[in-house]
């Protein structure tokens, strides 16, 4: 007779799924995340993909991970280290040795710890037998063999049976944290609707994993995390790239324009193309170009023809788009360029996150070529910043670079769904056909932007191209003084955007001992760290920048009130160098990390304490 284990209530927990790139850890983590979101937990995720496309199976470079942080309180990061690690092989265990807290639970697929498996991971002996993980709660589960036993009469081939072992592991974790299985069952039925034998097999294995966890004595208790208290509304779990795509769709609707995306596939930006391509029923046009240059040029052509033109890429692709972006700038066409940043230079760390493209976005074009730069700061608000980037481009007739990053693009969190009627209208700067004596490069007094005429509009034809324009007429001009004037006017147009954006906000007391400055996707870790230190009565505050060029008008006032300032970013110091150039009289400290990983709250708190105690 079995005794039902006690259920312990937790405020929050961090779980990491890790295995070979073919073990389905991203799918497993996503299913656990979606189920937790439906239960009302707040959460944040961090998928960690292997950089090598075909790393040798069972090796450390081939490890794929998915970390999720769920709680009944506000969650802003995927967690520094995990409370529970699911390791499907020795390589996954080795790669994540420092990612699990002391005393945490490690569920290992013991079937994958044979001598050959250990050798491929670089182990001479099993780490489970040499005290390497002393102090941890190790659960040795024969996941592969139990999956084979579960499906021995399924009629599936051996490879398909073994491929189902991730569902067995998910069943174990579902029991451990009292998660229902219905959401995953529905997912499987939809995903494999034409293959009922696959549906039945995966559902059976999922339940067998759950029952296995319930009957073994290794787990002293199961756990539950109650729903988080959040403002009322309709929520859904959303990834940053998906939110970006939806933000563009909303912007096109509010601007009453057709949306066109010209894109070339590149990690980690490709999912924006994938998402938008699903919505042809909304009149959205997507074009997978032959290269990065064709992608941006097609988006520029769509913009010239009157659509909302978008192009997406990551760091190396932005470098290739540089010349065409300069063309969009000098022709003063509205265009949004999304850069989902990754570790560089060159191919660099294609599946890892970094903030290393800020200087490229600001200055990576020939000549005097200013464009608007904005940056998203959470997976959910990628929606808001895609919308805002579109508004700025259309209402100011200029290209906008939207910076996200791999952490934001692939990460997920609950998003309070926005109703279209609650979003502001976007008013593209266009001629209405009644203007007299139209001059293509005459400028609006408040914005400094020119009104666009859709090509072919009678009496509004004009010349367009990459050569310098004569002021007002747009005719080709080599006049030195005119060139200087046009460079100044184009720069002033971007500077005037500061009159149409909100002032910079500060979280905490402006007269603080230490002001933490961040930009873009570092927000969650910086906010969590500063909030905790504030609760400890430390005089610390945070300001996180989303408007990069131009900066909000009150930026200097915020900086002048703080005793010390530290700028934190995932690069060698690009934003702090930009701020030093803008405000040479202000002293900025800096804290940087270039490991392809987000900050941790532990390292941030230690550095902030050191600055406060100096």
């Amino acid at each position: 007779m079995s005794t039902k284990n006690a259920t312990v209530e937790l405020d929050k927990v961090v779980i990491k799924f890790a295995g070979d790139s073919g073990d389905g850890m991203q799918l497993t983590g996503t299913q656990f995340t979606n189920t937790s979101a439906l239960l009302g937990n707040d959460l944040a995720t961090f998928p960690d993909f292997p950089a090598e496309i075909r790393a040798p199976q069972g090796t450390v470079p081939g490890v794929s991970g998915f970390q999720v942080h769920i709680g009944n309180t506000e969650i802003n990061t995927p967690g520094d280290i995990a409370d529970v690690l699911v390791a499907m092989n020795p390589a996954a265990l080795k790669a994540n040795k420092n990612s699990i807290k002391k005393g945490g639970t490690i569920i290992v697929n013991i079937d994958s710890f044979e001598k050959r498996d250990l050798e491929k991971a670089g182990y001479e002996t099993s780490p489970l037998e040499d005290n390497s993980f002393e102090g941890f709660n190790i659960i040795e589960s024969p996941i592969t063999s139990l999956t084979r036993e579960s499906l021995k009469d399924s009629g599936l081939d051996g490879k398909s049976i073994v491929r189902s072992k991730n569902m067995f592991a998910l069943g174990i974790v579902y029991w451990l944290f009292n998660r229902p299985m219905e959401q995953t069952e529905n997912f499987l039925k939809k995903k494999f609707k034409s293959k009922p034998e696959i549906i039945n097999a995966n559902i059976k294995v999922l339940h067998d994993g759950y029952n296995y966890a319930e009957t073994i004595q290794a787990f002293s208790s199961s756990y539950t995390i109650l729903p988080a208290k959040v403002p009322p509304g309709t929520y859904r779990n959303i990834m940053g790239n998906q939110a970006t795509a939806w933000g563009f769709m909303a912007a096109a609707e509010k601007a009453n324009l057709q949306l066109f995306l010209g894109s070339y596939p590149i990690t980690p930006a490709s999912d924006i193309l994938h998402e938008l391509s699903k919505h042809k029923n909304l009149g959205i046009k997507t074009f997978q170009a032959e290269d990065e240059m064709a992608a941006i040029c097609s988006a520029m052509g769509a913009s010239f023809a009157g659509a909302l033109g978008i192009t997406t890429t990551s760091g190396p692709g932005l470098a290739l788009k540089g010349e065409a972006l300069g063309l969009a700038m000098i022709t003063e066409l509205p265009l949004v360029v999304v850069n989902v940043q990754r570790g560089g230079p060159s191919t660099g760390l294609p599946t890892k996150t970094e903030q290393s493209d800020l200087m490229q976005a600001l200055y990576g074009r020939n000549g005097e070529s200013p464009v608007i730069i904005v940056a998203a700061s959470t997976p959910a608000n990628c929606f808001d910043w895609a919308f805002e980037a579109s508004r700025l481009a259309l209402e100011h007739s200029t290209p906008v670079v939207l910076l996200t990053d791999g952490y934001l693009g692939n990460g997920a969190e609950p998003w309070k769904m926005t109703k279209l009627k609650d979003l502001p209208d976007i008013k593209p700067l266009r001629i209405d056909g009644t203007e007299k004596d139209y001059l293509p490069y005459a400028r609006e007094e408040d914005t400094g932007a020119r009104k666009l005429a859709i090509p072919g509009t009678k009496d509004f034809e004009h010349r367009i191209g990459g050569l310098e324009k004569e002021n007002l007429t747009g005719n080709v001009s080599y006049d030195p003084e005119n060139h200087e004037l046009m460079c100044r006017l184009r720069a002033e147009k971007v500077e005037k955007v500061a009159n149409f954006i909100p002032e910079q906000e500060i979280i905490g007391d402006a007269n603080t001992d230490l002001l933490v400055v961040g930009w873009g996707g570092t927000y969650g870790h910086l906010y969590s760290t500063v909030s905790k230190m504030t609760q400890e009565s430390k005089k610390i505050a945070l300001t996180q920048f989303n408007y990069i060029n131009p900066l909000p008008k009150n930026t200097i006032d915020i900086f002048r009130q703080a005793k010390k300032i530290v700028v934190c970013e995932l690069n060698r110091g690009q934003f702090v160098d930009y701020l030093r150039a803008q405000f040479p009289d202000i002293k900025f400290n800096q804290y940087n990390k270039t490991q392809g990983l987000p900050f941790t709250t532990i390292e941030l708190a230690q550095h902030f304490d050191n600055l406060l105690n100096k």
Side-chain angles (χ1 to χ4, degrees):
M1 184 174 69
S2 63
T3 303
K4 185 174 177 61
N5 292 1
T7 299
V8 178
E9 186 176 313
L10 300 176
D11 290 330
K12 55 187 177 180
V13 69
V14 179
I15 303 159
K16 185 161 190 180
F17 300 88
D20 203 71
S21 57
D23 285 338
M25 293 296 95
Q26 301 299 325
L27 174 64
T28 305
T30 299
Q31 286 304 302
F32 187 89
T33 298
N34 291 342
T35 295
S36 298
L38 285 172
L39 291 177
N41 296 134
D42 200 5
L43 58 88
T45 70
F46 180 48
D48 188 13
F49 301 96
E52 296 185 28
I53 295 174
R54 293 187 180 276
Q57 190 174 17
T59 63
V60 173
V63 172
S64 178
F66 189 104
Q67 185 161 305
V68 55
H69 187 186
I70 63 172
N72 62 16
T73 57
E74 185 179 21
I75 301 295
N76 293 291
T77 79
D80 290 348
I81 53 177
D83 300 287
V84 175
L85 171 66
V86 177
M88 298 297 282
N89 59 23
L93 185 61
K94 187 174 187 178
N96 290 283
K97 182 176 182 180
N98 296 323
S99 300
I100 177 77
K101 66 175 53 175
K102 196 70 173 177
T105 296
I106 304 177
I107 302 168
V108 298
N109 178 15
I110 197 64
D111 289 332
S112 296
F113 276 70
E114 301 295 332
K115 182 179 179 182
R116 187 166 176 270
D117 301 312
L118 295 168
E119 289 174 349
K120 286 193 289 185
Y123 282 119
E124 294 183 3
T125 60
S126 174
L128 304 178
E129 299 172 358
D130 62 4
N131 298 322
S132 295
F133 288 87
E134 187 177 4
F136 292 91
N137 179 27
I138 305 291
I139 310 296
E140 298 184 8
S141 302
I143 292 174
T144 303
S145 57
L146 288 175
T147 299
R148 287 195 179 106
E149 177 64 22
S150 174
L151 299 180
K152 64 181 180 181
D153 299 322
S154 66
L156 294 177
D157 61 271
K159 184 179 289 188
S160 297
I161 288 174
V162 172
R163 196 180 290 134
S164 303
K165 66 181 182 292
N166 64 325
M167 288 295 107
F168 194 97
L170 181 59
I172 294 174
V173 182
Y174 272 171
W175 178 86
L176 188 58
F177 291 100
N178 276 277
R179 310 280 98 172
M181 292 179 280
E182 287 79 8
Q183 189 276 335
T184 297
E185 291 174 358
N186 292 334
F187 165 81
L188 292 168
K189 291 173 183 177
K190 184 177 180 181
K191 182 176 177 63
F192 300 108
K193 60 183 178 181
S194 62
K195 299 177 180 179
E197 68 281 4
I198 299 293
I199 296 172
N200 295 333
N202 278 278
I203 290 177
K204 184 177 189 304
V205 169
L206 180 69
H207 281 264
D208 285 351
Y210 190 99
N211 295 332
Y212 166 80
E214 188 174 33
T215 55
I216 64 171
Q217 300 299 312
F219 296 112
S220 59
S221 59
S222 62
Y223 304 90
T224 188
I225 298 94
L226 296 177
K229 295 179 180 179
V230 297
T234 302
Y235 288 81
R236 63 155 294 151
N237 191 43
I238 198 166
M239 295 177 67
N241 280 338
Q242 184 182 35
T244 301
W246 288 17
F248 288 136
M249 290 193 290
E253 185 71 21
K254 298 300 286 191
N256 196 28
L257 297 178
Q258 192 171 57
L259 173 60
F260 177 91
L261 173 71
S263 185
Y264 180 74
I266 185 172
T267 301
S270 299
D271 284 338
I272 302 173
L273 170 62
H274 299 160
E275 181 62 29
L276 285 174
S277 68
K278 298 176 184 177
H279 301 285
K280 295 178 183 177
N281 60 311
L282 298 177
I284 293 167
K285 288 184 168 60
T286 56
F287 170 55
Q288 181 174 316
E290 64 269 28
D291 56 42
E292 295 282 4
M293 293 76 79
I296 186 172
C297 287
S298 67
M300 288 168 56
S303 175
F304 182 53
L308 170 56
I310 311 291
T311 188
T312 55
T313 192
S314 190
L318 185 62
L320 293 169
K321 293 180 190 290
E323 181 182 0
L325 182 53
L327 176 59
M329 189 283 308
I330 197 170
T331 53
E332 302 189 48
L333 287 173
L335 175 74
V336 181
V337 181
V338 183
N339 180 8
V340 187
Q341 298 167 97
R342 70 191 207 188
S346 188
T347 308
L349 304 174
T351 62
K352 310 301 179 182
T353 196
E354 207 163 85
Q355 292 182 297
S356 55
D357 298 338
L358 177 59
M359 287 300 183
Q360 181 180 206
L362 284 164
Y363 307 119
R365 295 164 295 284
N366 62 301
E368 296 292 330
S369 187
V371 298
I372 300 171
I373 314 290
V374 296
S377 50
T378 71
N381 80 16
C382 285
F383 176 94
D384 304 302
W385 289 101
F387 187 93
E388 176 69 348
S390 303
R391 181 189 74 84
L392 293 172
L394 291 167
E395 295 185 351
H396 295 266
S397 294
T398 192
V400 177
V401 176
L402 169 59
L403 297 173
T404 69
D405 56 51
Y407 167 67
L408 294 181
N410 292 322
E413 65 180 356
W415 172 56
K416 185 178 179 182
M417 296 181 69
T418 302
K419 294 182 179 178
L420 201 61
K421 66 180 180 63
D422 294 333
L423 292 170
D425 288 334
I426 295 176
K427 300 174 182 178
L429 198 56
R430 303 280 171 81
I431 59 110
D432 61 16
T434 64
E435 290 84 353
K436 302 295 183 183
D437 302 320
Y438 173 68
L439 291 170
Y441 283 84
R443 300 181 182 278
E444 299 294 291
E445 185 176 350
D446 56 347
T447 65
R450 75 181 188 99
K451 280 189 174 180
L452 303 182
I454 303 302
T457 304
K458 183 174 169 48
D459 297 328
F460 290 88
E461 297 90 346
H462 62 281
R463 182 178 297 177
I464 193 166
L467 291 170
E468 184 59 279
K469 286 95 178 61
E470 182 182 59
N471 186 33
L472 301 178
T473 68
N475 294 331
V476 174
S477 173
Y478 294 100
D479 178 75
E481 292 184 355
N482 178 79
H483 175 59
E484 186 166 19
L485 172 64
M486 294 300 284
C487 286
R488 177 173 62 80
L489 290 174
R490 289 188 290 259
E492 287 176 352
K493 180 179 68 169
V494 173
E495 291 165 5
K496 286 180 177 179
V497 170
N499 297 323
F500 298 89
I501 62 177
E503 291 192 338
Q504 181 68 14
E505 295 183 353
I506 185 168
I507 301 170
D509 186 357
N511 297 300
T512 186
D513 288 347
L514 180 63
L515 176 64
V516 177
V517 176
W519 70 275
T522 56
Y523 169 77
H525 294 85
L526 296 179
Y527 175 76
S528 297
T529 307
V530 170
S531 296
K532 185 174 185 296
M533 294 180 73
T534 301
Q535 292 168 9
E536 296 168 354
S537 301
K538 295 174 181 176
K539 297 190 70 175
I540 185 170
L542 169 66
T543 187
Q544 190 80 10
F545 283 86
N546 298 102
Y547 294 99
I548 307 297
N549 190 41
L551 292 165
K553 294 169 70 173
N554 67 324
T555 298
I556 185 62
D557 299 324
I558 289 177
F559 290 158
R560 282 175 176 157
Q561 294 181 75
K563 293 179 181 177
K564 290 181 182 178
I565 301 172
V566 58
V567 182
C568 305
E569 46 186 329
L570 299 176
N571 55 43
R572 294 282 298 156
Q574 296 184 24
F575 190 52
V576 74
D577 285 347
Y578 174 60
L579 293 177
R580 285 169 179 154
Q582 301 291 315
F583 311 108
D585 296 333
I586 302 293
K587 181 181 179 181
F588 296 99
N589 297 287
Q590 64 187 89
Y591 184 63
N592 305 100
K593 181 176 181 178
T594 51
Q595 299 178 14
L597 297 169
F599 287 122
T600 67
T601 58
I602 294 172
E603 65 192 359
L604 289 170
Q606 183 178 18
H607 187 76
F608 298 161
D609 272 329
N610 290 339
L611 287 172
L612 284 167
N613 294 330
K614 280 186 179 179

